[in-house]
Every structure is written in structure tokens, then in C-alpha cells.
Amino acid sequence: MSDITSKSRGVRVRFAPSPTGYLHVGGARTALFNWLFARGQSGTMILRVEDTDAERNKPELVQGILDGLQWLGVDWDEGPFYQSQRTELYRAAAKKLLANGTAFLCYCPAEKYAGGDHAEPGQDEEPKGGGPRRVTRCTCRDGKPSNPDVKPAIRFKVPLGGTTKFLDAVFGEREFSNDEIEDFVLLRSGKGEEEFGQSMYQLGVVVDDIDMRITHVIRGADHISNTPKQVLLYRALGAQPPVFAHVPLILGADKSRLSKRHGATDVNMYRAEGFLPEAFRNFLALLGWSPGGDEEFIRTKDLIEKFSLAGVSRTNAVFDRPKLEWFNTQYLQKLPIEELLPEVENELRRSGLWKPEWAAGAAPGPDGRDHAWFAKTVDLLRPRVRLLPDFSSWSRAFFSDDFLRDPAAIAKFWKDPKTPELLAKLADALEALSEWNHDACDHASRAVAEAGGVKAGLLINATRVAIVGQAVAPPLFDTMVVLGHQRVVRRLRDAVSTFGKS
RNA sequence: GGCGCUAUGGUGCAACGGUUAGCACGUAGCCCUUUCAAGGCUAAAAUACGGGUUCGAUUCCCGUUAGCGCUACCA
């Protein structure tokens, strides 16, 4: 198996979403694995949109999928290719199979297979004892007299007896009995003028994977059962199958297939919530894959270096949101500050709090704040931030003078009747300071508390509410320094004047 | 129903015949403390069950059970 995972040039992989929905976290994980593998092997990543079902396909969803991939940081070297625009390729392949005897025209009405007697009982029915059997062999395979009233579909003529095997980089050698494989449809029957309709999934993937010279097919384990059909197609088409690598599925907390009722499954919702893409990537990478040791905080460049198909697990994984949040806080805290700043800038732009003078290289604003101030402030705030929007919500008073004091914080920390008097004295004491730094603020504050006969903590907590409006904030004296001398004094006096009101 | 895949604490992973079964999230407690976090320490918590193979099984084989997947003119 070493030949599969060893460095080899010419690796070509693809991510092939179907635009019948948004970018699901499961799809995102598959895309990520393909991408990590491609980048680690200096290979080529291809994006292919599998939109051969005109009825279910929604073209407007493609952009959302592309946006999701972009946010995730998964880029591609070729494509996006659209299967709906490659119809001729599939028809030619189907005709070739017809010609070499590995496919046949099927005149059966579509309904015969789509429902009715031969189909699977519905989920609500009891499939007990000797329920309906699927038909796996179509009677048209030995040549049916053509029926002028119906347009035929093209089906694959699955060999009678024997087995089909393939190599899976994750699951090992797999072997399936051909008798379990039905004569699947390759090409839909034509509608109106056309001779044949669109390609079906099995034909499309194989024709494209051959055409695009895909070397490794990395996809969800729900495709394991499809793989022997595709291997048969490769053979019939005279092509060599690629290496397959099926990755385990992602489940919800109750271990059923991840769906909306488990919470967000659309990758774009995580972007909207304010997760950092790299944290999301790190979390996703560890769902069904492990570098082998105990490390968990793995930056993307190391993910690329460490990723291997041999490290992919065979067991389904549950999507654990609390762990994702933990990863996010880890990145919020550990990222070099200059890497975090652009994310915070985006967030502040979104909420309208951003000021251009905080950009790198810009001239300081009228209040003296510049990029260095911005970096220092974000650095102070980040240990307490869980999601990007926190920079706009409870951190608002750091970036804007237009903020409200949280009533709950007031109720909790302004209980003591001496509060306004203390805050007024503190304002005076701080105003008189000739130096504005942590220790000066500290000493002045404690002196006021002592003179007023209260514990420092009481003054400190009351002051926090006064100057940032929140019960939760960074250490007070660091906060004062970052806010600035005049602003702190002004907010303190404002607090005194509002005391008792509301 | 048929076929297939899987099975380590609640969750994600490690241990790829020999460990007191390790790490992380979460949970509980303690420490720190200026709020809230972070951080540090500690605790509870797992090899699904039954048979084999072996000097020795989490690890290899079989069965059972459970979960999941496929079983469309969906992808």
C-alpha cells in the first residue's frame, strides 16, 4: 500500500459536488481531503459540477458551493467543469459500449424500476419476511425487438457470475459479486426530439474521471457500493481504474446521517457565525483522519504535510460542535496577531465599526489610534472571544464611543450606593495622572478604593461597567490603557451622570 | 428483505499481538483571580457481546447484536 501514499508526481484528484443543495459539511470534508492530498503530493485539484439531473439540479446553488469552498480555502487548478455541458462525451461513450456489446438498449418503461412492484418498500412499510426483491437483470439485455412507441434508455450489461474487485486505499481490497449488481442505466431515454437524454451518475463519473485523468478518487464511503459498477465501466471502456479512497461519513449527535435537525450543516452558516476558516479546516480534517499521534492543533501547512490516505479512518464520525468551538478559540488565541487582524477587520466592517486609520500603514486618526493600537486592542480582547462577532458585540466599547451599558452588568456591579461617589473620585484621580500606563492606573484606583473604605474589587468591577458597559471584559487596567486617558475619564463622568437613571 | 461497511469513555482520535489502554473536547472539583475567559492540577468515564487462534488479544478469524451505507431513467 506504500505505493499509494508515497509521493508521486502526476496525482490528479477532483471534488465533484452536485448542485442540489448547499455545501454540506460532509462534502466540505471530502473536498478538504482531496485538497490536502493534492497539495501534499504537488498534484492537481479539479472541480467538477455534477449536474446531469435537470430536475433536481438548481444552477443558482453552484455559487454558494463555490463560495463555501473559497471560504474554506480549498482552491482548484482546473474547472469548474459542468457535466451538463459535456453530454456529447457521455453519449459517445454509451454508444461505444453499445457497439462493443457491454451495454444494451432498454425499452422498459421507467416506472417499472422507479416504483411499483419491483421497487423497495417505503421506509414506513415493514420489509419483513420475503419482501419484494429488486430486479437486477433486465429482460432487454438479450435484445428486445425495438418498440417504436418508446424511446430506449441505455443500460450496462453486467456480467453474469464472477466478481469485481478494486483496491481502496482506506478499506483495502474489496470484492463484490456481479450477481448483486443490477443492469444500471447509463443514459436516460430521450425526450422530444433527442435520441437519448442526459447521462446517469455512473457513466458521467467514469467518463469524466478517465477524461480528466484522475488518479485518486477520494469520496464518501456511501459510494463504496457504486464502485464495482464503475470498475466494470472502466474495463468496458478499456481504461485502467484509479485508486479509490473512500472516507467515512459524518454523522449527527444521534449517530444518524447529519441533517438540518442536528444544527447547521451548511458550511456557509459557519462562516456567517464567525468561525475562522483555518479552525474549521483543522476541525474537519480530524474528522475521519489522524496524523497518528496526539497533536490536534495543526495549522494548514502542517495538515498538508502530514495528510495521508493511510491515516484515514474507516469509522463514521460524529460532528461535535463544542469541539469545533474549542478549535476556534484556540486559533483566536494562538494565531500570530497579524494573521488574525484581517478577520477582525472584516467583522468590524460588517458591523460598521471599522475605521480606516486602523489599517496597516495608515496615518493615525484624530484620537491617535492607529494600526498598532488596533493590534494591541485585538490582542487584549482575543482570549475572551469565541466567535468573530464578539468583537462587535460585547467588545463594542473598544472600537466605538457609541455603546450602551448592559443593564445586567449595572445591576450586578453598581449595587453599592457609594458607587457614583467613588467613580467621580476615580475620574478626578485618573485625570490628574501625568503618566498613563497600567501601573499608574492601578495605583490610582486602589488609592481611591482605600480612601473610600471599599475593597478594590468593588471599584474595579464598577469601573469596568462604567467604561466598557459590560460585566465581561479584559483586565481593567489594560483596558484603561488601550482606551486612552481622556476617554476613560470622560466615560467615568458620563457614568456618574447616568447613575440612578433608567 | 438483499448486499456491503463499521464497532476503544458521552464525542473526536492514539495504541497497528505484550502499555497501569494514551491525548483532546465535554463534564465535576480545586488552584489562580479584578468580571468573564484563558491557564494549571485532579476526578469520573471505554476496548459492544459470545466463541475461537495464540504463551499472550483493543489488535487476527468466525458468529451475534447494533449503527450506517447502497439497493432510482438521484448524485
Side-chain angles (χ1 to χ4, degrees):
Chain A
M1 205 173 275
S2 59
D3 57 325
I4 297 170
T5 50
S6 67
K7 299 262 181 189
S8 57
R9 299 134 309 286
V11 161
R12 292 173 65 82
V13 299
R14 45 58 164 193
F15 176 57
S18 175
T20 52
Y22 46 74
L23 180 61
H24 188 273
V25 295
R29 204 271 316 259
T30 298
L32 179 63
F33 280 11
N34 272 284
W35 183 80
L36 290 173
F37 185 65
R39 294 294 171 257
Q41 304 288 320
S42 301
T44 304
M45 173 82 175
I46 298 165
L47 183 63
R48 184 172 75 218
V49 178
E50 308 213 322
D51 54 352
T52 53
D53 186 341
E55 286 172 26
R56 295 162 52 98
N57 174 39
K58 295 193 173 60
E60 65 273 17
L61 292 175
V62 172
Q63 194 53 50
I65 292 172
L66 265 34
D67 289 347
L69 289 172
Q70 187 192 31
W71 175 72
L72 242 196
V74 169
D75 57 2
W76 53 92
D77 308 302
E78 295 177 20
F81 298 107
Y82 291 82
Q83 290 193 320
S84 58
Q85 292 169 11
R86 297 163 62 82
T87 307
E88 287 314 316
L89 211 53
Y90 313 132
R91 289 185 183 168
K95 285 178 180 171
K96 177 181 177 183
L97 297 178
L98 228 34
N100 72 18
T102 53
F104 62 92
L105 293 173
C106 174
Y107 293 90
C108 297
E111 313 82 65
K112 174 178 176 183
Y113 298 95
D117 295 344
H118 301 273
E120 173 73 358
Q123 308 175 278
D124 47 346
E125 295 176 43
E126 284 292 313
K128 291 245 164 60
R133 291 283 127 77
R134 267 206 55 73
V135 340
T136 58
R137 291 289 164 261
C138 179
T139 50
C140 301
R141 61 182 279 143
D142 299 318
K144 254 294 184 33
S146 65
N147 182 340
D149 296 332
V150 294
K151 293 202 169 193
I154 297 179
R155 284 182 187 273
F156 189 71
K157 190 183 288 184
V158 174
L160 267 13
T163 62
T164 297
K165 57 182 76 165
F166 62 90
L167 176 61
D168 192 300
V170 175
F171 289 87
E173 294 272 1
R174 295 291 120 182
E175 184 170 14
F176 288 76
S177 166
N178 291 335
D179 291 333
E180 298 296 335
I181 305 172
E182 73 276 15
D183 290 338
F184 54 97
V185 175
L186 263 17
L187 224 51
R188 280 173 251 250
S189 52
K191 290 197 178 77
E193 296 298 288
E194 57 181 10
E195 184 184 11
F196 291 106
Q198 291 274 290
S199 167
M200 289 290 286
Y201 170 69
Q202 314 289 358
L203 213 218
V205 244
V206 174
V207 168
D208 278 345
D209 285 343
I210 292 171
D211 186 60
M212 297 172 186
R213 295 159 14 245
I214 300 302
T215 58
H216 300 253
V217 171
I218 303 171
R219 69 209 330 181
D222 49 341
H223 286 288
I224 290 178
S225 301
N226 288 325
T227 308
K229 298 176 189 171
Q230 293 168 20
V231 169
L232 251 16
L233 272 178
Y234 275 95
R235 297 255 161 71
L237 254 8
Q240 193 62 231
V243 171
F244 294 95
H246 289 99
V247 306
L249 270 23
I250 296 179
L251 310 175
D254 60 357
K255 304 218 173 185
S256 69
R257 194 167 201 169
L258 193 63
S259 67
K260 292 106 313 206
R261 71 195 161 79
H262 293 114
T265 51
D266 179 354
V267 167
N268 285 322
M269 293 183 74
Y270 291 91
R271 172 179 60 178
E273 278 194 73
F275 283 92
L276 294 170
E278 189 171 10
F280 196 73
R281 236 177 278 145
N282 194 158
F283 168 71
L284 230 39
L286 260 18
L287 238 37
W289 173 77
S290 157
D294 284 338
E295 341 128 77
E296 292 207 287
F297 184 87
I298 310 175
R299 299 214 52 185
T300 303
K301 73 178 212 330
D302 298 315
L303 240 25
I304 290 171
E305 186 188 314
K306 293 171 187 290
F307 185 81
S308 77
L309 297 177
V312 176
S313 154
R314 293 180 304 284
T315 68
N316 295 166
V318 171
F319 186 91
D320 187 42
R321 183 174 165 117
K323 186 88 179 234
L324 167 62
E325 291 179 357
W326 177 78
F327 271 109
N328 207 54
T329 59
Q330 289 298 302
Y331 275 86
L332 246 6
Q333 286 174 54
K334 294 181 181 172
L335 235 34
I337 192 70
E338 287 300 332
E339 287 189 55
L340 179 60
L341 261 19
E343 297 285 355
V344 180
E345 178 179 335
N346 274 340
E347 168 54 32
L348 295 182
R349 283 179 189 280
R350 244 194 309 274
S351 60
L353 297 178
W354 174 253
K355 293 221 173 67
E357 61 254 35
W358 301 338
D367 56 2
R369 292 178 168 184
D370 59 4
H371 185 68
W373 171 83
F374 179 56
K376 190 178 174 190
T377 301
V378 169
D379 202 33
L380 184 64
L381 253 11
R382 63 168 164 173
R384 262 149 273 255
V385 171
R386 301 195 70 79
L387 294 168
L388 255 9
D390 289 343
F391 282 108
S392 306
S393 55
W394 63 258
S395 306
R396 184 182 179 93
F398 287 81
F399 302 106
S400 171
D401 289 322
D402 177 25
F403 69 96
L404 265 20
R405 294 189 180 87
D406 177 18
I410 289 174
K412 184 174 181 188
F413 292 121
W414 283 7
K415 275 190 295 215
D416 195 296
K418 280 189 287 192
T419 303
E421 180 194 334
L422 288 165
L423 293 180
K425 283 184 176 161
L426 180 61
D428 293 341
L430 290 177
E431 187 171 41
L433 250 30
S434 57
E435 280 186 304
W436 191 252
N437 56 48
H438 178 284
D439 289 353
C441 291
D442 190 339
H443 296 145
S445 301
R446 290 184 195 280
V448 168
E450 193 175 341
V454 298
K455 294 208 292 193
L458 187 146
L459 211 216
I460 287 169
N461 289 331
T463 303
R464 179 178 302 106
V465 177
I467 66 176
V468 299
Q470 298 290 323
V472 176
L476 187 69
F477 307 122
D478 295 319
T479 296
M480 286 182 170
V481 170
V482 140
L483 248 27
H485 199 166
Q486 301 310 317
R487 202 166 326 238
V488 168
V489 172
R490 201 186 318 137
R491 290 183 182 183
L492 239 16
R493 298 221 159 105
D494 174 75
V496 173
S497 72
T498 66
F499 198 84
K501 298 177 188 169
S502 80

